[in-house]
Amino acid sequence: ELGEVLTGLRKSDSGQVLVDGKDITNHTPRQIIQAGVAHVPEDRQHRGLLLDFSVKENLILEEHRDRRFSHRGIIDYRKVASHAAALVQSFRIKTDGTDIPVSSLSGGNQQKVILAREISRDPEVLIIMKPTRGLDVGAIEYVHQTLLDEKARGKAILLFSSELEEIMALSDRIAVMYEGEIAGIVDPCTSTDEIGLMMAGVKRREEGEVAHAEGNA
């Protein structure tokens, strides 16, 4: 739910979403993209891609109106093809061509298409939802390294994952949530036992001791 609010897919009842001081609360997904936010959704096939569309078409989703690819509403497919070829090479997407349906790619290469599209827009913030779900070991390593590379470039990354090992390997700070609220923010050196307790409704006191959280933690 939090990820959906941050990316404009769900309306917020309260609170604010700020990007670089700009309030984007309850803005449309398009407005949020224009504010510099990229989104890699949890469900790559239903929310990240249009499976019947080609690889090259999926690589310009959200940007098909851009002057680089269209003029007066008419898409220039030569420019789209050139753009797609560059991303396929840069992100090592294994495909028999950019004209084939993206549904014909493996899960790992479908995820690469999404990462290539979102990262190529040079966003200020990357919101990544369970990026390695259902991927093989090689694809997982590629996704992890891509996120580390973006972090090294100074990009802000908000990673949602139920894989604690993944979170601890990639994160500088970990916000643990329980029943819709943040139970605590810890660094990745925190023991898995302590994080596990927080996930189960036990949170840190300010002085560092662990106490059972009463009510909504």
Side-chain angles (χ1 to χ4, degrees):
E1 289 84 359
L2 175 59
E4 291 178 354
V5 166
L6 297 178
T7 54
L9 299 176
R10 180 188 293 261
K11 294 296 183 183
S12 171
D13 295 325
S14 62
Q16 284 183 300
V17 180
L18 303 175
V19 175
D20 197 22
K22 180 181 179 181
D23 189 346
I24 60 168
T25 310
N26 290 334
H27 283 199
T28 66
R30 181 170 179 77
Q31 289 171 326
I32 291 173
I33 289 168
Q34 292 172 339
V37 179
H39 177 213
V40 177
E42 176 181 353
D43 190 331
R44 71 181 69 92
Q45 294 191 343
H46 289 90
R47 283 195 165 169
L49 300 166
L50 293 176
L51 295 180
D52 293 334
F53 280 38
S54 67
V55 172
K56 68 183 180 185
E57 288 169 328
N58 273 277
L59 284 168
I60 63 163
L61 292 182
E62 306 153 357
E63 292 188 297
H64 58 280
R65 299 183 184 88
D66 193 285
R67 293 180 181 178
R68 293 177 298 161
F69 308 123
S70 66
H71 179 66
R72 295 183 179 177
I74 299 175
I75 294 177
D76 186 335
Y77 278 98
R78 287 179 300 178
K79 292 182 179 179
V80 173
S82 177
H83 173 75
L87 291 183
V88 164
Q89 181 176 6
S90 179
F91 286 82
R92 295 184 286 170
I93 300 169
K94 294 181 180 178
T95 175
D96 291 331
T98 60
D99 291 318
I100 65 173
V102 76
S103 59
S104 66
L105 303 187
S106 68
N109 284 292
Q110 289 178 355
Q111 192 73 327
K112 287 181 181 180
V113 168
I114 298 172
L115 286 169
R117 181 185 69 221
E118 300 302 307
I119 291 172
S120 68
R121 292 194 285 105
D122 195 27
E124 295 298 320
V125 181
L126 279 164
I127 297 177
I128 314 290
M129 312 284 290
K130 300 183 179 180
T132 57
R133 190 185 70 167
L135 302 185
D136 61 31
V137 173
I140 290 172
E141 290 180 355
Y142 179 86
V143 170
H144 285 178
Q145 188 57 54
T146 299
L147 297 184
L148 290 172
D149 290 344
E150 289 305 299
K151 183 172 75 169
R153 291 178 59 214
K155 298 299 180 181
I157 300 175
L158 182 58
L159 172 64
F160 290 78
S161 179
S162 56
E163 300 292 333
L164 186 54
E165 184 175 324
E166 177 174 69
I167 289 285
M168 297 182 78
L170 299 176
S171 303
D172 296 310
R173 291 177 295 168
I174 302 170
V176 184
M177 296 194 71
Y178 174 73
E179 292 191 350
E181 295 187 11
I182 293 177
I185 298 177
V186 300
D187 64 50
C189 296
T190 305
S191 72
T192 55
D193 288 344
E194 183 171 345
I195 292 177
L197 287 170
M198 295 168 68
M199 292 169 65
V202 175
K203 66 178 181 179
R204 284 182 164 188
R205 293 191 188 277
E206 290 184 2
E207 61 270 22
E209 64 176 305
V210 176
H212 185 72
E214 297 180 355
N216 287 330

